[in-house]
Amino acid sequence: MCGIFGIVTDQSQALGPILIEAARRLTYRGYDSVGAATISGSKIDLRKDVGRVDEVAAKYNLAEMTGSRGITQLRWATFGEPSQVNAQPHLDSDGDLVGAHNGNVVNNVELRQQFMAEGMTVRSHNDGESCVHATERYINQGYDFVEAIRKAHGDLQGDYAYVIGRIDDDRLYAIKKGSGLVVGIGEGFTCVSSDLPSILPLTRTILRLQDGEIVTLWAGRVELHSVKDGSLIQREPEVVTETMEAVQKGGYAHFMLKEMHEQPQVAREVLHMLAGSPEVGVVLDKIARARHVYLIGCGTSYHACLAGSVYFAQMAGIAAIPVVAPQFVSQYLPAVNEQDVGLFVSQSGETKDVLSALQAAEASGMTCYGLANVIGSTLTRATACWLPLCCGYEISVPATKTFTNQVVAFLYLAQRLAGGDGKQLEELPELMEQTLSLTAGPMQALAAEINGWNDLYSLGFGATYPMALEGALKLKEITYAHCEGMLSTEFKHGPLSAVTKGFPVLFAAGAQDVPQIVSGINEVTCRGGRAIVIGQDDPRLRANASDMILIPEADPLVSSLLAVIPLQLLAYHMSVGRGYDPDFPRNLSKTLTVD
Ligand code: F6R
C-alpha cells in the first residue's frame, strides 16, 4: 500500500521538511522505499532510495530540497524489487515530467514494452513509471495536461492514483482510479495525498476525490475534471473537525473495525499483485513438482495454512500438509529433504516459532518460500522467494485483513495450480463488501444477545473448518471468553454434553456441506442450545437453525472465506460490549519474537 503526497506553493521555498513530514505520516500504510522530488522553474530535483523515511532523508539530505512544487512517495514493492531505480517518483524520458503513483497498474509489463518500442526511456520496472510515460505519450502528441491524463487513463489498467507535474509550469495534476486521494486547500498552497493524516497538519479544508476524477492544483485554487468527458466538476470543500487519532482510525471506533472494512480493498490489491508477480510462477512451479508441500504458520496464520491445504487439495489435487510451526520441527523434520517445499506464512515475518522452523527446514535442504505482510522482516530476508500480502500496516493486535489476504493468496495459488488464471477470484472483493454490509447489523445485535455467555463453540466443516477455528481464536483473543473451534462433526463426540438451554454454538456452513451441518445443528437445538448458522441462503439451514446469518451466494470455496467476516464482527462487538479495547487485548503482543 504505497502513499503519495504532492504540494503546490505560491513561491519557491524549503519544501524538504514538509515532504519529509508528509512521508512520515504515510508510513502507517507500510513501505520499503522513499522518494521526493521538487520542481523549481525548469529544474527537477529527485532523490530516492530503499529504506525508512528518516534514513533516506538523512542520506540524501531531503530537508534541503527547495521549489514551489513537491512530490513525495512511499513505495511498497509490487512491480520490481525494492531498489533505488524502482523507488518513486519517476521522470519521463526527457526529465521534464515527474510523477509518483499509489496502487497497481496491472498491465505494467505490456505497457513498458510499448513505451520502449515507442522510443521512450524506461528506467525501472515499477508501474509508477508507467503512469508517467502514459502521460508523456499524450503530452508528446500535443494534448494539454488534463487531456493527456484522460488518455493515459484509457491505457492504464488497475486501481491506482497518481500525481504528476512538469517543469516551467505552476501546477500539479492528480487522478484517482480505485486508490484513495484527498486534496487539501490552505493559505498560499494546495496539496494532494493518498490519505488525510499527511494533510491535516497543513490544513483542515479538504476535497475528497471520487474515482474517475482529475484534479489540477495551483497554489491558490484547484479544479476538478471528469475523466469520462473532461467536463468541469463543481464540489464545495469540507472542513475536517475530527482529531488526528479519529482520522487515523478512518472514522471507525477502533483500528480492528477499520481493518476489517479494509479487507475488500486489500484483497483487490493482493490479487493484482499476484497477477503481475514473477515470483508466483517460481513458487507454483516448485510446488507442482514437490514431493511434499508444507504450509507452516502459527495462530491466525496457521488457520490460513489450513485453508490453503483445503484449497490445494480440492482445487488442484495437491495434498499440502498444514503445520503449526513448532510441530514442524518436532514432528516432520526427520521426514523432509530437498525435494520438499515449505511455504512459511506470517503477518509480521518475525514470529520466533516460524523463524525457528524455517531455519531447521533450510538446514534440511528444503526449498523455503515466504508469505508475509511486513516487507523487510526477517522472513522476507531469509527465504529464497516471498510473496507480499499487500495489507499495509495492521495496527490492531487481532489479525483480520492479513488473515483474509493470506487466504485470498492461497485461493489464488490453488486456482493457478489447477490450471486457472486466478480471474475467477475477481468478484471476491465485491462479495467481501456485500458480506460486511449484510452481516454488520445482525452480528452487532447477536453480540448483545449472547454476550452473557463465557463458553461458546465455533464449528465448521471442510473449507469452513479453518474459518470456524479463526472465528474462535478472535473471540478468545478479544472477549476473554472461552470459545472452542472444532470440526462440526466432532462436536457430538464429547462437547455436546456442555449444551444447555440457550447455549450458543456457531456454525459456519459451506453450501456443499449442508447435510453434515444440518445434523450437527439439530443435535444442538434438540437439547435447547442456540444454533447460530452463517451460510448462504438454504431452506434446509433456515428450517433448522435458531439464527440464520446470511452471506452472499458464491462458489463454495470462496464463500468459506466470507464466513469468517461475520465471526470477526461478532468478536469485535462482544469485546466492545464487555468494555474491552479490541485493538490491544491484555497479555498479547502483535509480534511474538519469543519461544
Ligand atoms: C491472532 C494473531 C496471532 C498471530 C500469531 C502469528 O489474531 O494475530 O495468532 O497470527 O501470533 O503471528 P504472525 O502471523 O505474525 O507470524
Side-chain angles (χ1 to χ4, degrees), residues 67-136:
S68 58
R69 286 166 292 151
I71 294 173
T72 184
Q73 201 266 10
L74 296 190
R75 173 172 187 244
W76 179 303
T78 46
F79 285 100
E81 54 171 16
S83 67
Q84 192 194 17
V85 73
N86 285 328
Q88 301 200 46
H90 295 284
L91 297 172
D92 73 334
S93 305
D94 307 332
D96 297 345
L97 302 181
V98 64
H101 96 314
N102 164 30
N104 280 305
V105 176
V106 292
N107 57 337
N108 181 49
V109 175
E110 300 93 285
L111 284 174
R112 285 182 73 252
Q113 300 300 335
Q114 293 173 17
F115 297 144
M116 288 188 278
E118 289 168 28
M120 295 188 203
T121 307
V122 178
R123 299 175 183 87
S124 76
H125 282 86
N126 177 246
D127 47 340
E129 186 174 349
S130 289
C131 297
V132 177
H133 291 307
T135 313
E136 174 189 0

Coordinates of all heavy atoms in Angstrom, one line a residue, residues 67-136:
G67 N 11.7 24.4 -3.8 CA 10.9 24.5 -5.0 C 9.6 25.1 -4.7 O 9.3 25.5 -3.5
S68 N 8.7 25.2 -5.7 CA 7.4 25.7 -5.5 C 6.4 24.5 -5.6 O 5.2 24.7 -5.3 CB 7.0 26.8 -6.4 OG 7.1 26.3 -7.8
R69 N 6.9 23.4 -6.1 CA 6.1 22.2 -6.2 C 6.9 21.0 -5.7 O 8.1 20.9 -6.0 CB 5.5 22.0 -7.6 CG 4.5 23.0 -8.0 CD 4.2 23.0 -9.5 NE 5.3 23.5 -10.2 CZ 5.6 23.1 -11.5 NH1 4.9 22.2 -12.1 NH2 6.6 23.7 -12.1
G70 N 6.2 20.1 -5.0 CA 7.0 19.0 -4.5 C 6.1 17.7 -4.4 O 4.9 17.8 -4.3
I71 N 6.7 16.6 -4.6 CA 6.0 15.3 -4.5 C 6.9 14.4 -3.6 O 8.1 14.3 -3.7 CB 5.9 14.7 -5.9 CG1 5.0 15.5 -6.8 CG2 5.4 13.2 -5.9 CD1 5.0 15.0 -8.3
T72 N 6.2 13.6 -2.8 CA 6.9 12.5 -2.1 C 6.1 11.3 -2.2 O 4.8 11.3 -2.4 CB 7.2 12.9 -0.6 OG1 7.9 11.8 0.0 CG2 5.9 13.0 0.2
Q73 N 6.8 10.1 -2.1 CA 6.1 8.9 -2.3 C 6.8 7.8 -1.4 O 8.0 7.8 -1.3 CB 6.2 8.4 -3.8 CG 5.1 7.4 -4.2 CD 5.6 5.9 -4.1 OE1 6.7 5.6 -3.5 NE2 4.8 5.0 -4.6
L74 N 5.9 7.0 -0.8 CA 6.4 5.8 -0.1 C 6.0 4.6 -0.9 O 4.9 4.5 -1.2 CB 5.8 5.7 1.3 CG 6.1 6.8 2.3 CD1 5.6 6.4 3.7 CD2 7.6 7.1 2.4
R75 N 7.0 3.8 -1.2 CA 6.7 2.7 -2.1 C 6.7 1.4 -1.3 O 7.6 1.1 -0.5 CB 7.8 2.6 -3.2 CG 7.7 1.3 -4.0 CD 8.6 1.3 -5.2 NE 8.2 0.1 -6.0 CZ 9.0 -0.9 -6.2 NH1 10.3 -0.9 -5.7 NH2 8.6 -2.0 -6.9
W76 N 5.7 0.5 -1.6 CA 5.6 -0.8 -1.1 C 5.7 -1.7 -2.3 O 4.8 -1.7 -3.1 CB 4.3 -1.0 -0.4 CG 4.0 -2.4 0.2 CD1 4.0 -3.6 -0.5 CD2 3.8 -2.7 1.5 NE1 3.8 -4.6 0.4 CE2 3.6 -4.1 1.6 CE3 3.6 -1.9 2.7 CZ2 3.3 -4.7 2.8 CZ3 3.3 -2.6 3.9 CH2 3.2 -4.0 4.0
A77 N 6.8 -2.4 -2.5 CA 7.1 -3.1 -3.7 C 6.1 -4.1 -4.2 O 5.6 -4.9 -3.4 CB 8.5 -3.8 -3.6
T78 N 5.6 -3.9 -5.4 CA 4.8 -5.0 -6.1 C 5.5 -5.2 -7.4 O 5.9 -6.3 -7.6 CB 3.3 -4.6 -6.2 OG1 3.3 -3.2 -6.7 CG2 2.6 -4.6 -4.9
F79 N 5.5 -4.2 -8.3 CA 6.2 -4.5 -9.6 C 7.7 -4.0 -9.4 O 7.9 -2.8 -9.3 CB 5.6 -3.7 -10.7 CG 4.3 -4.3 -11.2 CD1 3.1 -3.8 -10.8 CD2 4.3 -5.4 -12.1 CE1 1.9 -4.3 -11.2 CE2 3.1 -5.9 -12.5 CZ 1.9 -5.4 -12.1
G80 N 8.6 -4.9 -9.5 CA 10.0 -4.6 -9.4 C 10.4 -4.6 -7.9 O 9.7 -4.2 -7.0
E81 N 11.7 -5.2 -7.7 CA 12.2 -5.3 -6.4 C 12.4 -4.0 -5.7 O 12.5 -3.0 -6.4 CB 13.5 -6.0 -6.4 CG 14.4 -5.3 -7.4 CD 15.9 -5.8 -7.4 OE1 16.1 -6.9 -6.9 OE2 16.7 -5.0 -7.9
P82 N 12.5 -3.9 -4.3 CA 12.8 -2.7 -3.7 C 14.2 -2.3 -4.1 O 15.2 -3.0 -3.8 CB 12.7 -3.0 -2.2 CG 11.9 -4.3 -2.1 CD 12.2 -5.0 -3.4
S83 N 14.4 -1.2 -4.8 CA 15.7 -0.7 -5.2 C 15.6 0.8 -5.5 O 14.5 1.3 -5.6 CB 16.1 -1.4 -6.5 OG 15.3 -1.0 -7.6
Q84 N 16.8 1.4 -5.6 CA 16.8 2.8 -5.9 C 16.0 3.2 -7.2 O 15.2 4.1 -7.2 CB 18.2 3.4 -5.9 CG 18.1 4.9 -5.8 CD 19.4 5.6 -6.1 OE1 20.3 5.1 -6.7 NE2 19.4 6.9 -5.8
V85 N 16.3 2.4 -8.2 CA 15.7 2.8 -9.5 C 14.2 2.6 -9.5 O 13.5 3.3 -10.1 CB 16.5 2.0 -10.7 CG1 16.1 0.6 -10.7 CG2 16.2 2.7 -12.0
N86 N 13.8 1.6 -8.8 CA 12.3 1.3 -8.7 C 11.6 2.2 -7.7 O 10.4 2.3 -7.7 CB 12.1 -0.1 -8.3 CG 12.3 -1.1 -9.5 OD1 12.1 -0.7 -10.7 ND2 12.8 -2.3 -9.2
A87 N 12.4 2.9 -6.8 CA 11.7 3.8 -5.9 C 11.1 5.0 -6.7 O 11.5 5.2 -7.8 CB 12.8 4.3 -4.9
Q88 N 10.1 5.6 -6.1 CA 9.4 6.7 -6.8 C 9.7 8.0 -6.1 O 10.1 8.0 -5.0 CB 7.9 6.4 -6.7 CG 7.5 5.1 -7.3 CD 6.1 5.0 -7.7 OE1 5.5 5.9 -8.3 NE2 5.4 3.9 -7.4
P89 N 9.5 9.2 -6.7 CA 8.9 9.4 -8.0 C 9.8 9.0 -9.2 O 11.0 8.7 -9.0 CB 8.7 11.0 -8.0 CG 8.8 11.4 -6.6 CD 9.7 10.4 -5.9
H90 N 9.2 9.1 -10.4 CA 9.9 8.8 -11.7 C 9.9 10.0 -12.6 O 8.9 10.7 -12.6 CB 9.2 7.6 -12.3 CG 9.3 6.3 -11.6 ND1 10.4 5.6 -11.5 CD2 8.4 5.7 -10.8 CE1 10.2 4.5 -10.7 NE2 9.0 4.6 -10.3
L91 N 10.9 10.0 -13.5 CA 10.9 11.0 -14.5 C 10.4 10.5 -15.8 O 10.4 9.2 -16.0 CB 12.4 11.5 -14.8 CG 13.1 12.2 -13.6 CD1 14.6 12.3 -13.9 CD2 12.4 13.5 -13.3
D92 N 10.0 11.3 -16.8 CA 9.7 10.9 -18.1 C 11.0 10.7 -18.9 O 12.1 10.9 -18.3 CB 8.7 11.8 -18.8 CG 9.3 13.1 -19.2 OD1 10.3 13.5 -18.6 OD2 8.8 13.7 -20.1
S93 N 10.9 10.5 -20.2 CA 12.1 10.3 -21.0 C 13.1 11.4 -20.9 O 14.3 11.2 -20.7 CB 11.8 10.0 -22.4 OG 10.8 8.9 -22.5
D94 N 12.6 12.7 -21.1 CA 13.5 13.8 -21.2 C 13.8 14.4 -19.8 O 14.5 15.4 -19.7 CB 12.8 15.0 -22.0 CG 12.4 14.5 -23.4 OD1 13.1 13.5 -23.8 OD2 11.5 15.0 -23.9
G95 N 13.1 14.0 -18.8 CA 13.3 14.6 -17.4 C 12.5 15.9 -17.3 O 12.8 16.7 -16.4
D96 N 11.4 16.0 -18.1 CA 10.6 17.2 -17.9 C 9.4 17.0 -17.0 O 8.8 17.9 -16.5 CB 10.0 17.6 -19.3 CG 11.0 18.0 -20.3 OD1 12.2 18.2 -19.9 OD2 10.7 18.0 -21.5
L97 N 9.0 15.8 -16.9 CA 7.8 15.4 -16.1 C 8.3 14.6 -14.9 O 9.3 13.8 -15.0 CB 6.8 14.5 -16.8 CG 6.2 15.0 -18.2 CD1 5.3 13.9 -18.7 CD2 5.5 16.3 -17.9
V98 N 7.6 14.7 -13.8 CA 8.0 13.9 -12.6 C 6.6 13.5 -12.0 O 5.7 14.3 -11.8 CB 9.0 14.5 -11.7 CG1 8.4 15.8 -11.0 CG2 9.4 13.6 -10.6
G99 N 6.5 12.2 -11.6 CA 5.3 11.7 -11.0 C 5.5 10.5 -10.2 O 6.5 9.8 -10.2
A100 N 4.5 10.2 -9.4 CA 4.5 9.0 -8.5 C 3.1 8.5 -8.3 O 2.1 9.3 -8.4 CB 5.1 9.4 -7.1
H101 N 3.0 7.2 -8.1 CA 1.7 6.6 -8.0 C 1.5 5.8 -6.7 O 2.5 5.5 -6.0 CB 1.3 5.8 -9.2 CG 1.6 4.3 -9.1 ND1 2.8 3.8 -8.6 CD2 0.8 3.2 -9.4 CE1 2.7 2.5 -8.6 NE2 1.6 2.1 -9.1
N102 N 0.3 5.4 -6.5 CA -0.1 4.5 -5.4 C -1.1 3.5 -6.0 O -1.9 3.9 -6.8 CB -0.8 5.4 -4.4 CG -1.6 4.6 -3.4 OD1 -1.2 3.5 -3.1 ND2 -2.6 5.2 -2.9
G103 N -0.9 2.2 -5.8 CA -1.8 1.2 -6.3 C -1.1 0.3 -7.3 O 0.1 0.1 -7.2
N104 N -1.9 -0.3 -8.2 CA -1.3 -1.3 -9.1 C -1.7 -1.0 -10.5 O -2.9 -1.0 -10.8 CB -1.7 -2.7 -8.7 CG -0.9 -3.2 -7.6 OD1 0.3 -3.3 -7.6 ND2 -1.6 -3.6 -6.5
V105 N -0.8 -0.9 -11.4 CA -1.1 -0.9 -12.9 C -0.9 -2.3 -13.4 O 0.2 -2.8 -13.5 CB -0.2 0.1 -13.6 CG1 -0.5 0.1 -15.1 CG2 -0.4 1.5 -13.1
V106 N -2.0 -3.0 -13.6 CA -1.9 -4.5 -13.8 C -1.3 -4.8 -15.2 O -0.8 -5.9 -15.4 CB -3.2 -5.2 -13.6 CG1 -3.6 -5.2 -12.1 CG2 -4.3 -4.7 -14.4
N107 N -1.4 -3.9 -16.2 CA -0.8 -4.2 -17.5 C 0.6 -3.5 -17.6 O 1.0 -3.2 -18.7 CB -1.8 -3.8 -18.6 CG -2.1 -2.3 -18.6 OD1 -2.1 -1.7 -17.5 ND2 -2.5 -1.7 -19.7
N108 N 1.2 -3.4 -16.5 CA 2.5 -2.7 -16.5 C 3.5 -3.3 -17.4 O 4.3 -2.6 -18.2 CB 3.1 -2.7 -15.0 CG 4.4 -2.0 -14.9 OD1 4.6 -0.9 -15.4 ND2 5.4 -2.7 -14.3
V109 N 3.6 -4.7 -17.4 CA 4.6 -5.3 -18.2 C 4.4 -5.0 -19.7 O 5.4 -4.6 -20.4 CB 4.6 -6.9 -18.0 CG1 5.5 -7.6 -18.9 CG2 4.9 -7.1 -16.5
E110 N 3.2 -5.1 -20.2 CA 2.9 -4.8 -21.6 C 3.2 -3.3 -21.9 O 3.8 -3.0 -23.0 CB 1.4 -5.1 -22.0 CG 0.9 -6.5 -21.8 CD 0.3 -6.7 -20.4 OE1 1.1 -6.8 -19.4 OE2 -0.9 -6.8 -20.3
L111 N 2.8 -2.5 -21.0 CA 3.0 -1.0 -21.2 C 4.4 -0.7 -21.4 O 4.8 0.1 -22.3 CB 2.4 -0.2 -20.1 CG 0.8 -0.1 -20.1 CD1 0.3 0.6 -18.9 CD2 0.3 0.7 -21.4
R112 N 5.3 -1.3 -20.5 CA 6.7 -1.0 -20.6 C 7.3 -1.3 -22.0 O 8.0 -0.6 -22.5 CB 7.5 -1.8 -19.5 CG 7.3 -1.3 -18.1 CD 8.1 -2.1 -17.1 NE 9.5 -1.8 -17.2 CZ 10.4 -2.7 -17.7 NH1 10.1 -3.8 -18.1 NH2 11.7 -2.3 -17.7
Q113 N 6.8 -2.5 -22.5 CA 7.3 -2.9 -23.8 C 6.9 -1.9 -24.9 O 7.7 -1.5 -25.7 CB 6.6 -4.3 -24.2 CG 7.0 -5.4 -23.3 CD 8.5 -5.7 -23.3 OE1 9.2 -5.4 -24.2 NE2 8.9 -6.3 -22.1
Q114 N 5.6 -1.4 -24.8 CA 5.1 -0.4 -25.7 C 5.9 0.9 -25.6 O 6.3 1.4 -26.7 CB 3.7 -0.1 -25.4 CG 2.7 -1.2 -25.7 CD 1.3 -0.8 -25.2 OE1 1.0 0.4 -25.0 NE2 0.4 -1.7 -25.0
F115 N 6.2 1.3 -24.4 CA 6.9 2.6 -24.2 C 8.3 2.5 -24.8 O 8.8 3.4 -25.5 CB 7.0 3.0 -22.8 CG 5.7 3.3 -22.1 CD1 5.5 2.9 -20.8 CD2 4.6 3.8 -22.8 CE1 4.2 3.1 -20.2 CE2 3.4 4.1 -22.2 CZ 3.2 3.7 -20.9
M116 N 8.9 1.4 -24.6 CA 10.3 1.2 -25.1 C 10.3 1.2 -26.7 O 11.1 1.8 -27.3 CB 10.9 -0.1 -24.5 CG 11.3 0.2 -23.1 SD 12.3 -1.1 -22.3 CE 11.1 -2.3 -21.9
A117 N 9.2 0.4 -27.2 CA 9.1 0.4 -28.7 C 8.9 1.7 -29.3 O 9.2 2.0 -30.4 CB 8.0 -0.6 -29.0
E118 N 8.2 2.6 -28.5 CA 7.9 4.0 -29.0 C 9.1 4.9 -28.8 O 9.0 6.1 -29.1 CB 6.7 4.5 -28.3 CG 5.4 3.9 -28.7 CD 4.2 4.2 -27.8 OE1 4.2 5.3 -27.2 OE2 3.3 3.4 -27.6
G119 N 10.2 4.3 -28.2 CA 11.4 5.1 -28.1 C 11.6 5.9 -26.8 O 12.4 6.8 -26.7
M120 N 10.7 5.6 -25.9 CA 10.8 6.3 -24.6 C 11.9 5.7 -23.7 O 12.3 4.5 -23.9 CB 9.5 6.2 -23.8 CG 8.3 6.9 -24.5 SD 6.9 7.0 -23.4 CE 5.6 7.2 -24.6
T121 N 12.4 6.4 -22.8 CA 13.4 5.9 -21.9 C 12.8 5.4 -20.6 O 12.2 6.1 -19.8 CB 14.4 7.1 -21.5 OG1 14.9 7.7 -22.7 CG2 15.6 6.5 -20.7
V122 N 12.8 4.0 -20.5 CA 12.2 3.4 -19.3 C 13.3 2.9 -18.4 O 14.1 2.2 -18.8 CB 11.3 2.2 -19.8 CG1 10.7 1.5 -18.6 CG2 10.2 2.6 -20.7
R123 N 13.3 3.5 -17.2 CA 14.5 3.2 -16.3 C 14.2 2.1 -15.3 O 15.2 1.6 -14.8 CB 14.8 4.5 -15.6 CG 15.2 5.7 -16.6 CD 15.4 7.0 -15.8 NE 15.7 8.1 -16.7 CZ 14.8 8.8 -17.3 NH1 13.5 8.6 -17.0 NH2 15.1 9.8 -18.1
S124 N 13.0 1.9 -15.0 CA 12.7 0.9 -13.9 C 11.7 -0.1 -14.3 O 11.2 -0.1 -15.4 CB 12.1 1.7 -12.7 OG 10.8 2.0 -12.9
H125 N 11.4 -1.0 -13.4 CA 10.3 -2.0 -13.6 C 9.0 -1.6 -12.9 O 8.0 -2.3 -12.9 CB 10.8 -3.4 -13.1 CG 11.7 -4.0 -14.1 ND1 13.1 -3.8 -14.0 CD2 11.5 -4.9 -15.1 CE1 13.7 -4.5 -15.0 NE2 12.7 -5.1 -15.6
N126 N 9.1 -0.4 -12.3 CA 8.0 0.0 -11.4 C 6.8 0.5 -12.2 O 7.0 1.2 -13.2 CB 8.5 1.0 -10.4 CG 7.4 1.5 -9.5 OD1 7.0 2.6 -9.6 ND2 6.8 0.6 -8.8
D127 N 5.6 0.2 -11.8 CA 4.4 0.6 -12.5 C 4.1 2.1 -12.4 O 3.4 2.7 -13.2 CB 3.1 -0.2 -12.2 CG 2.9 -0.4 -10.7 OD1 3.9 -0.3 -9.9 OD2 1.8 -0.8 -10.3
G128 N 4.7 2.7 -11.3 CA 4.5 4.2 -11.2 C 5.2 4.9 -12.4 O 4.7 5.9 -12.9
E129 N 6.3 4.3 -12.9 CA 6.9 4.9 -14.0 C 6.0 4.8 -15.3 O 6.0 5.7 -16.1 CB 8.3 4.3 -14.3 CG 9.0 5.0 -15.4 CD 10.4 4.5 -15.7 OE1 11.0 3.7 -14.9 OE2 11.0 4.9 -16.8
S130 N 5.2 3.8 -15.3 CA 4.3 3.6 -16.5 C 3.2 4.7 -16.5 O 2.8 5.2 -17.5 CB 3.6 2.3 -16.4 OG 4.5 1.3 -16.7
C131 N 2.8 5.2 -15.3 CA 1.9 6.3 -15.2 C 2.5 7.6 -15.8 O 1.8 8.3 -16.5 CB 1.5 6.6 -13.7 SG 0.6 5.2 -12.9
V132 N 3.8 7.8 -15.5 CA 4.5 9.0 -16.1 C 4.6 8.8 -17.6 O 4.2 9.8 -18.3 CB 5.9 9.1 -15.4 CG1 6.6 10.3 -16.1 CG2 5.7 9.3 -13.9
H133 N 5.0 7.7 -18.1 CA 5.2 7.5 -19.6 C 3.8 7.5 -20.3 O 3.7 8.0 -21.4 CB 5.9 6.2 -19.9 CG 7.4 6.3 -19.5 ND1 8.2 7.3 -19.9 CD2 8.1 5.4 -18.7 CE1 9.4 7.0 -19.3 NE2 9.4 5.9 -18.6
A134 N 2.8 7.0 -19.6 CA 1.5 7.0 -20.3 C 1.0 8.5 -20.5 O 0.4 8.8 -21.5 CB 0.5 6.2 -19.4
T135 N 1.4 9.3 -19.5 CA 1.0 10.8 -19.7 C 1.9 11.4 -20.7 O 1.5 12.2 -21.6 CB 1.2 11.5 -18.3 OG1 0.5 10.7 -17.3 CG2 0.6 12.9 -18.3
E136 N 3.2 11.1 -20.6 CA 4.2 11.6 -21.6 C 3.8 11.3 -23.0 O 3.8 12.2 -23.9 CB 5.6 11.0 -21.3 CG 6.6 11.3 -22.3 CD 7.9 10.5 -22.1 OE1 7.9 9.6 -21.2 OE2 8.9 10.7 -22.9

